[in-house]
Structure formats: C-alpha cells, structure tokens
Amino acid sequence: MEIPKSHPRYLSLITREKLVSGFKKGLVVPEGLIAHGRGECFDYILGEKSHDFALEAEKAAVALMLLADHPVISVNGNTAALVAEEISELSKILKAPLEVNLFHWSRERAEAIAKELEKFGAVVYCKGDAELEGIEHSRRIVDSRGILKADVVLVPLEDGDRCEILRRHGKKVIAIDINPLSRTSRMADVSIVDNIIRAIPNMIKFAKELKKENLEEVIRNYDNRKILMKAVLAIRDNLTKIAGELNVG
Ligand code: PTJ
C-alpha cells in the first residue's frame, strides 16, 4: 500500500507495512503481527521516543557486548522484517554473529530469515544442531557455534521463558522489549525498553562512539532495576500528563 509521507502516522504505518511484507515473504508468522500490535500500544503510551532509560540501557548493552568473548544476536521473524539491514550492521560492528532463533520454528522459515540477513553481509548461524536444556518449545533449537556457547546474548522481541533459561546457563541476557512489564524485561540483565526500530540505530551509534577504556565503567554504573522502574514511571507520568491536558477547562 502507498502511504503518503504527509500522513501524521507515517512512520507507524510504514513499520506495519514492513511486517506485512515480511509476512507475505514467509519471514513473519501471523502471531508476529499480533505481537507487533502489543508493542505499538506500549510505544504509543511511552510517547514513541527513546527515553533516557532506554539510551542508558542501549549504551550498557553495547558495552557488555564489546567486552564479551562470544556475543551473539538472536533474530526472530519480526526482527528480520523490521531491521534486517540495521541489525546486520550492528552485528558487524560488534563482531557478534546473528543467529536465527524462532518460537514458531520451521526449517523453511529459519532459512528464509537467514537469507534475508545474509543479503546485508552479516555472519548468520542457523544450523539448529544443538539444544538448550531446560526449554521445551522450539527456542531450545540453537546453533553450536552461536547461542550454545555465547556468553552474552541479545534477544529482541522475545516471548517469555528463554531469558530465564539463558541466564541459568550462565549467559548474560540483553532484551529489547518495549513492554517493561514483560517477563523477559523483568528477567534480563539489561532491559532495553524501546522500539526496536529506534533501539538498533541507537546501539550502532553507541558502538561507534564508545571508547574501549570506558566500557567497564559503563557496566559498573548500570542498574537494571532502576532502568525498569524509570520505564514504568514514564508510562505513569505520560498518562498523567495526557489526563491533565484533557482536564483543562
Ligand atoms: O518469529 P518467531 O516465531 O520467533 O515469533 C516471534 C514472536 C514475536 C511472535 C514471538 O516471539 C512472540 O510471541 O512474542 P511475544 O510473546 O508477543 O513478545 C514479544 C514482545 O515484544 C512483547 O512484549 C511486545 O510488546 C514486544 N514488541 C513487539 N514489537 C516490538 C516490541 N518491542 C520493541 N519493539 C517492537 N517493535
């Protein structure tokens, strides 16, 4: 569908179109469209901008990945449809391979997503030759070169319990989830409460700017509970502000 640039909701509508196009290409599952709707709702309530708490988490995430021995970026259908090019660039800068990891797994879709990412020159793992113990659903299927041996894993747009299991396996987990109340946000070591379409470009910027000697300090000063608290308070404050505006007169 042709969306005029003058439309006040242009960016939001274009983002939807990317998902629909990803769905038609077999990258995104129907459930992914529903998940996006939930994300849109939280983004709307948060004012559709990267708040300070998101920027701080994005910076800490980049520092953690730069300090890691085996950082890996997990990619699902929605992520591939929305930010294939940007996440490939981030992967190259951070020297963190991409790994296709799906909740609604099929060999065909995993390979289609890998192909989409490879177009942008990233290293993509999708052998699915190993299993993460402790998970019963398809996210247990991992690559022996990637998530299985990773020490830090970036998990955008997750759906629940894998974060906890990854941590039980001794890995540090960075989540990108615009919902600060989600199980994933609550369980992660670093919770990026931001829309992925802003989070990845912000992370690219930090990855280019951060100096090696500052990485440890960034991590030392980072407090994820505070970040999540600020995100929840931002929801409250934004709603209070809007209610106040409606109350005038
Ligand atoms: O491709 P698959 O098979 O791995 O499936 C992917 C989905 C997204 C369907 C699957 O992981 C799923 O069901 O996820 P959930 O449980 O809906 O969780 C996704 C989380 O991501 C929710 O908390 C949403 O609020 C959040 N979210 C959705 N869109 C965005 C987002 N967060 C940041 N940016 C977004 N654009």
Side-chain angles (χ1 to χ4, degrees), residues 10 60 107 126 172 206 226 247:
Y10 178 76
R107 165 76 51 205
C126 106
K172 294 254 185 236
F206 284 126
K226 260 197 196 139
N247 199 24

Side-chain angles (χ1 to χ4, degrees), residues 103-120:
F103 185 64
H104 307 275
W105 189 87
S106 79
R107 165 76 51 205
E108 202 186 357
R109 191 159 72 95
E111 283 173 2
I113 293 171
K115 255 199 193 144
E116 183 70 17
L117 298 166
E118 280 162 356
K119 277 189 203 161
F120 302 103

Side-chain angles (χ1 to χ4, degrees), residues 66-67 209-218 220:
L66 285 170
L67 286 170
E209 279 172 13
L210 264 177
K211 301 259 182 310
K212 218 175 170 187
E213 56 273 23
N214 297 336
L215 301 178
E216 300 272 6
E217 196 192 340
V218 170
R220 240 192 337 271

